[in-house]
Amino acid sequence: MESIGVLLACPMNSYLEQQLDKRFKLYRFWTVPDKSSFLASHKDSIQAVVGNAAAGADAELIEALPKLEIVASFSVGLDKIDLTKCKEKGIRVTNTPDVLTEDVADLAIGLMLAVLRKLCESDRYVRSGKWKRGDYVLTTKFTGKKVGIIGLGRIGMAIAKRAEAFSCPISYYSRTEKPEIKYKYYPSVVELAAHCDILVVACPLTKETHHIINREVINAMGPKGVLINIGRGPHVDEPELVSALVERRLGGAGLDVFENEPYVPEELFGLDNVVLLPHVGSGTVETRQAMADLVIGNLEAHFQKKPLLTPVV
Amino acid sequence: MESIGVLMACPMNPYLEQELHKRFTLHRFWKVPDKSTFLTTHCNSIRAVVGNASAGADAQLIEALPKLEIVASFSVGLDKIDLAKCKEKGIRVTNTPDVLTEDVADLAIGLMLAVLRKLCESDRYVRSGKWKKGNYMLTTKFTGKRVGIIGLGRIGMAIAKRAEAFSCPISYHSRTEKTETKYKYYPSVVELAANCDILVVACSLTEETRHIVNRKVIDALGAKGVLINIGRGPHVDEPELVSALVERRIGGAGLDVFEHEPEVPEELFGLDNVVLLPHVGSGTVETRKAMADLVLGNLEAHFLNKPLLTPVV
C-alpha cells in the first residue's frame, strides 16, 4: 500500500503520523509551502485524507482531489468534513466513536467539579502562599445539582451515568425524545436551561446546532447556572457567553472548546468562575492510541476492500 | 441559655459564630491575649467548647475547664479532641457526620480527575497563552483505573460509589473486613497500594493511622501510582511523600490536607503532577451551614436535656 497517497490535514499524533508514513505515501499538508500547487501536482495520487477536529475535508479540498476515496477522521466530530459532498461523490467517511467516549465524559465531570468547587482557583491559592493569610472562600456543592444534557448520544449518556452517581437529577434535550430513557426530556434548549443547574453541550456540531447556546439560553440559565462545553466551540455564541460571564449574568463555565482555537477570549482569564482547557477531551495516551489504531484500521480495511470499522458515510 | 459560656476554639464560620453569640455567652479563644489568665478567670462559666479540624479540646484545655460538659466539633474528624479524657470526665462529644460526606467524596473524585487529566495545569497552560504555541501534552485516562480506599466508612463508601460510575474497580483496607460489601479487601495498606492505581486516604486519624501512608506504602504504589488525601495531613509521612514526588518515584498526588496547615511544602509548587487544595473538603456554603446547624442543634439538645443529635461520646 506504500504507493497510496494519504494527505494528513494537520499535525495530530506522532504515532499515527509514523504509522501512516510506514504504510502509505504520506503527505503532511501543513509543511507544504504552496497548497494549491501541491494539490495540482499530487491530485492523482491522493486517495485518502486524514483529518481531525481542527481540519478535515471541505468542499474545496474534495473537489481538488479527484482520486479521493476515503476521509478518515481522528475525531468523533464530523463538522470539518463536507459530508454531503462526500455522499455525492461516493467518498467513504470514518470517525473514532466509542474509544473516546469515556475520556470526554470524564472531562465533563472534571469540569463540573472544577467549576463548582473552584479546584484550579484553590490550587492557585495554595501555590501563591495566600492560604497562610486566610482560608479559601466557600464554594458550591456538586452532589444533587440538576444536570441538563444537550445531545444524549454516546457521550451524553456516559456523562449522565457518571453524574447519577453524584445523585444529580438528569434531564436532556435532543432532536427527538428517547422514550426508552428514564431521564426527563425538554422539547427546547431554553426550557432545559431554565430547569437545570449545569448545562452540558454534548451534541454534534451541524448547521442546526451552531450557536445552540445563545443569549436566550444563557438568560434562561441565570446567574447561578453553569455551562460545560465539551462539544465544539461554535456550539456557543462566544461573545455572548463572555459578556454574560464578565457581567456575572451567568454563574460559571467549564470550557474545553472555543470558536477560534487556540484563541481564547482574554476577558475570561481574570475570572475565578471559569475553567479553560486546551481541547483535551480525548487527550490521553490510551485514547489517542486507540483513535490512531481506528484510523489506520479503517484505511487498511478500505484499501483491502474489507468492511470499514467505523463508517459514517 | 445566654448565661452559658461557650468557648470557640478558632474562627471557623461567621454564621455559626453569630448564632452561638446570639444564644450563649460566646468566648472567642483566638482573640484572647493571655490564654491561661483567660481560662483561670472564666473556668467556672465555660460549659461547652466548639472546635474543628484545626483546634479542639486537648487534655490541657479539658483540665482547665472544670465545668465543661460538652465538646461539639465543627468537623467529622475527632483527632483534635482528647476522647479518652472526655470519657473519663463524662464530657459529651459531638461531630458533624453525614452532612459533609458527599462534599468530601466529590472532592476526592475531583482530585483524581484533576491529577490524572492535569486539569489545573492545562487551565494554567491556556491562561498563560501557551496554547497558541502548541497543543497540551497527553495525560492519563481516569475511567477504569483501580481505586484503593483506606477506610471504608461513610466517606470511603461515597467515594467508591462515585468511582464505580467511572468503571473503576474498587478495593479497600480497613481495620476489619466488611463482608457485606462486594469490594476487594486487602489485609494491609502495602498490599492495597501494590494493587491499585489510585490510593485514597479516607479513614479517621488516630494514633494507629498516623503516617499510615509511609515510605513502604509509597514504594508499593509506585511510579505510576497516585495518592489522594482527603483525610488528615498526619495520615501521610509528608517529607517521604514530597521526596517521592520530586524524584518521580510516585506518579502524582491530590492533597487537600497537610501535616502543618496552612504550610505546604514549597517543593511541591513546581510539580505538574500534584494538585494542592487548602483543606476545602467540606467547604461549600450548603454543607458548612448544615454543619453549623448540627453544632447548634447538639448544643441546644444538651442544654435542654434532650438526646444529642450526633453524639460520639
Side-chain angles (χ1 to χ4, degrees):
Chain A
M1 280 187 248
E2 290 89 355
S3 62
I4 296 172
V6 174
L7 181 68
L8 188 58
C10 58
M12 52 187 81
N13 183 270
S14 327
Y15 164 75
L16 175 60
E17 205 174 305
Q18 180 186 62
Q19 291 299 316
L20 289 171
D21 190 57
K22 260 202 261 185
R23 297 155 200 249
F24 305 102
K25 180 115 187 61
L26 181 64
Y27 296 99
R28 295 168 179 79
F29 207 23
W30 66 97
T31 63
V32 159
D34 182 340
K35 288 186 159 77
S36 25
S37 314
F38 169 84
L39 291 172
S41 14
H42 293 85
K43 63 183 165 67
D44 288 332
S45 57
I46 292 172
Q47 292 174 257
V49 166
V50 173
N52 70 351
D58 59 11
E60 198 185 295
L61 183 68
I62 293 167
E63 286 295 352
L65 299 171
K67 300 288 161 87
L68 183 60
E69 298 173 20
I70 179 168
V71 178
S73 200
F74 183 71
S75 70
V76 67
L78 299 157
D79 45 287
K80 291 293 203 242
I81 298 169
D82 190 324
L83 296 172
T84 310
K85 190 125 252 180
C86 288
K87 277 189 192 113
E88 184 194 299
K89 292 182 169 282
I91 295 168
R92 304 308 303 279
V93 177
T94 65
N95 62 348
T96 60
D98 297 311
V99 295
L100 51 66
T101 298
E102 292 165 331
D103 266 355
V104 178
D106 290 355
L107 200 83
I109 302 292
L111 279 169
M112 292 181 207
L113 284 160
V115 175
L116 265 74
R117 298 296 295 271
K118 291 184 158 56
L119 299 182
C120 306
E121 288 296 318
S122 355
D123 174 275
R124 260 187 274 276
Y125 190 79
V126 171
R127 288 177 204 247
S128 69
K130 292 193 177 121
W131 192 16
K132 293 186 218 181
R133 287 176 260 150
D135 283 340
Y136 192 66
V137 295
L138 296 184
T139 58
T140 303
K141 185 167 177 163
F142 173 56
T143 284
K145 287 292 189 295
K146 293 175 288 178
V147 172
I149 305 175
I150 301 173
L152 211 56
R154 287 167 291 240
I155 293 171
M157 285 296 288
I159 293 171
K161 173 186 169 204
R162 284 153 175 71
E164 280 195 295
F166 297 80
S167 309
C168 295
I170 310 291
S171 51
Y172 72 102
Y173 164 80
S174 62
R175 284 167 302 181
T176 52
E177 184 169 3
K178 301 183 189 251
E180 71 278 16
I181 304 260
K182 48 184 171 161
Y183 306 136
K184 180 152 176 63
Y185 175 73
Y186 284 97
S188 76
V189 180
V190 170
E191 280 172 272
L192 180 67
H195 291 93
C196 69
D197 302 305
I198 301 171
L199 183 66
V200 192
V201 182
C203 59
L205 178 66
T206 63
K207 286 209 279 263
E208 292 73 37
T209 62
H210 179 262
H211 284 194
I212 199 173
I213 304 294
N214 55 21
R215 177 129 188 173
E216 235 202 310
V217 171
I218 291 169
N219 287 345
M221 289 180 71
K224 291 191 168 169
V226 169
L227 176 73
I228 303 293
N229 192 3
I230 47 82
R232 288 287 182 265
H235 274 127
V236 176
D237 183 336
E238 204 161 272
E240 279 295 332
L241 176 65
V242 172
S243 70
L245 285 163
V246 166
E247 293 164 25
R248 308 214 159 251
R249 287 183 285 110
L250 183 65
L255 311 170
D256 186 41
V257 287
F258 302 86
E259 285 209 85
N260 304 108
E261 295 171 22
Y263 292 95
V264 176
E266 299 199 0
E267 302 95 305
L268 298 177
F269 293 1
L271 301 179
D272 74 342
N273 57 345
V274 301
V275 175
L276 311 167
L277 303 182
H279 202 154
V280 290
S282 64
T284 65
V285 171
E286 297 95 326
T287 292
R288 291 288 169 84
Q289 162 92 35
M291 287 165 66
D293 287 339
L294 211 40
V295 168
I296 307 269
N298 274 301
L299 290 174
E300 292 205 311
H302 173 74
F303 292 112
Q304 286 166 6
K305 300 185 157 32
K306 290 182 180 161
L308 297 182
L309 307 179
T310 48
V312 176
V313 168
Chain B
M1 281 189 243
E2 290 88 354
S3 60
I4 296 171
V6 173
L7 181 69
M8 195 172 194
C10 59
M12 54 187 81
N13 184 271
Y15 163 74
L16 176 59
E17 205 175 306
Q18 183 191 12
E19 289 298 316
L20 287 171
H21 178 70
K22 260 200 262 183
R23 299 157 198 238
F24 305 103
T25 294
L26 179 64
H27 302 277
R28 295 168 179 81
F29 207 26
W30 65 97
K31 294 204 167 168
V32 159
D34 183 340
K35 288 186 160 71
S36 26
T37 311
F38 168 86
L39 289 172
T40 316
T41 323
H42 293 89
C43 63
N44 287 323
S45 60
I46 291 171
R47 294 166 62 185
V49 166
V50 172
N52 71 350
S54 314
D58 59 12
Q60 193 183 82
L61 183 67
I62 292 166
E63 286 295 350
L65 298 172
K67 300 286 161 81
L68 183 60
E69 298 171 24
I70 178 168
V71 178
S73 199
F74 183 71
S75 71
V76 66
L78 298 157
D79 46 288
K80 290 293 203 242
I81 298 170
D82 190 325
L83 296 171
K85 189 124 254 170
C86 288
K87 277 193 191 105
E88 184 194 304
K89 291 183 172 283
I91 296 166
R92 306 306 305 278
V93 178
T94 67
N95 64 347
T96 60
D98 297 311
V99 294
L100 51 65
T101 299
E102 293 166 331
D103 265 356
V104 179
D106 290 356
L107 201 83
I109 302 292
L111 279 168
M112 291 179 207
L113 284 161
V115 175
L116 266 74
R117 298 295 296 271
K118 290 185 159 58
L119 299 183
C120 306
E121 288 296 318
S122 355
D123 173 274
R124 260 187 275 276
Y125 190 81
V126 171
R127 288 177 204 246
S128 70
K130 292 193 177 120
W131 192 16
K132 292 186 220 181
K133 291 182 238 152
N135 281 335
Y136 192 67
M137 57 172 27
L138 296 184
T139 57
T140 303
K141 186 169 179 162
F142 173 56
T143 284
K145 287 294 189 291
R146 296 166 301 167
V147 172
I149 306 175
I150 304 173
L152 209 58
R154 286 167 293 239
I155 293 171
M157 285 296 287
I159 293 172
K161 173 186 169 205
R162 284 152 175 72
E164 281 195 292
F166 296 81
S167 309
C168 295
I170 309 292
S171 50
Y172 71 103
H173 168 73
S174 58
R175 284 168 301 184
T176 52
E177 185 170 0
K178 302 189 185 245
T179 45
E180 69 281 13
T181 83
K182 46 188 169 161
Y183 306 136
K184 181 155 175 62
Y185 175 72
Y186 284 99
S188 75
V189 182
V190 171
E191 281 172 274
L192 180 67
N195 289 285
C196 70
D197 303 306
I198 302 172
L199 182 66
V200 192
V201 183
C203 58
S204 345
L205 178 66
T206 62
E207 260 151 43
E208 291 75 37
T209 62
R210 184 179 180 279
H211 284 194
I212 196 172
V213 178
N214 55 19
R215 173 112 192 191
K216 256 183 111 193
V217 171
I218 290 167
D219 286 346
L221 193 48
K224 291 190 166 169
V226 169
L227 177 72
I228 303 293
N229 191 3
I230 47 84
R232 287 287 180 264
H235 275 127
V236 174
D237 183 336
E238 204 160 274
E240 281 292 342
L241 176 64
V242 172
S243 70
L245 284 163
V246 167
E247 293 163 25
R248 308 212 158 252
R249 287 184 284 109
I250 188 181
L255 310 169
D256 187 40
V257 287
F258 302 86
E259 286 209 85
H260 307 291
E261 294 172 21
E263 311 287 332
V264 174
E266 299 201 0
E267 301 98 313
L268 298 178
F269 292 1
L271 301 179
D272 75 341
N273 58 343
V274 302
V275 175
L276 311 166
L277 303 183
H279 202 155
V280 289
S282 64
T284 66
V285 170
E286 297 94 326
T287 292
R288 289 289 169 84
K289 166 113 191 349
M291 287 164 66
D293 287 340
L294 211 41
V295 167
L296 295 164
N298 275 302
L299 289 173
E300 292 210 327
H302 173 73
F303 291 112
L304 293 174
N305 294 314
K306 291 184 177 157
L308 298 182
L309 306 180
T310 48
V312 176
V313 170

